[in-house]
Amino acid sequence: MLRITLAAVHLVALGLGLGAVLARGTALRESASNAALRRAFRSDTTWGIAALLWIATGVWRVVAGIEKPTAYYLANPVFHAKMGLFLLILLLEAWPMVTLMRWRRNFSAGESAERLMTMGAGRRIATISHIEALLVIAMVFVAVAMARGFGSRPG
Ligand code: HEM
């Protein structure tokens, strides 16, 4: 039951996360409005939840050897590639995360969406979000190959 739950939550995170990061990017490309900015904030929250679910279920599966022994993953270059892509997403996300946290505070303090979204950062975060979506899709290809034995040495 644990095995099924962890695998299912990992995939639910994929549905939530990919949709949310695309929606965040799209909302930040719209012309500035309170509605667009609120939509971007909501998508950003969902993207954060998906990241926590991925990390919690993924690390659990590796450390507890739920699907395959821990050593299988640690020695598998395809798994390393998956982790490399994930690290790249985390690095790309650092600046959007702090910027959007600041925007949330300023927006609640009364600063207008027009002012926040037209400073140029909105479009940059939108581009980063869509690049992150492509990296998530790349991770899916790498993950399904790794789960099916690619990268593991025979014998
Ligand atoms: C953007 C983040 C992630 C995405 C899109 C993703 C995607 C996937 C997908 C689609 C699978 C299913 C493969 C299949 O059974 O066909 C999978 C399995 C798995 N993922 Fe992730 N994953 C992510 C993050 C992580 C992280 C952070 C870890 C661990 C640190 C992790 C560890 C695993 C493990 C251990 C499996 C099971 C593989 C097996 O069946 O042997 N994942 N992932």
Side-chain angles (χ1 to χ4, degrees):
M1 195 58 198
L2 176 66
R3 181 178 173 217
I4 301 296
T5 307
L6 291 177
V9 174
H10 205 72
L11 289 181
V12 169
L14 175 58
L16 287 176
L18 187 55
V21 78
L22 284 170
R24 183 179 78 175
T26 305
L28 289 173
R29 270 196 207 291
E30 285 176 29
S31 44
S33 70
N34 286 354
L37 189 57
R38 284 206 185 90
R39 219 168 323 118
F41 288 155
R42 275 199 302 276
S43 302
D44 183 59
T45 303
T46 310
W47 172 233
I49 292 169
L52 293 179
L53 292 176
W54 270 321
I55 294 170
T57 55
V59 170
W60 194 336
R61 292 166 100 186
V62 171
V63 172
I66 305 274
E67 298 287 345
K68 300 174 180 71
T70 307
Y72 172 90
Y73 300 110
L74 299 185
N76 187 321
V78 182
F79 180 71
H80 300 162
K82 178 174 159 167
M83 289 302 99
L85 289 168
F86 192 59
L87 189 66
L88 197 55
I89 293 176
L90 292 179
L91 291 174
L92 279 174
E93 184 59 22
W95 176 73
M97 188 177 74
V98 272
T99 305
L100 287 173
M101 273 159 56
R102 198 180 59 243
W103 282 18
R104 283 177 198 258
R105 280 196 305 276
N106 295 354
F107 189 59
S108 335
E111 197 161 339
S112 72
E114 282 75 12
R115 205 179 122 71
L116 289 168
M117 286 175 79
T118 49
M119 288 189 302
R123 284 201 152 262
R124 276 202 296 281
I125 298 177
T127 304
I128 292 172
S129 302
H130 289 155
I131 293 170
E132 289 173 338
L134 288 175
L135 290 171
V136 169
I137 293 169
M139 281 186 73
V140 172
F141 278 87
V142 174
V144 298
M146 177 270 294
R148 280 155 189 79
F150 282 79
S152 71
R153 282 190 209 95

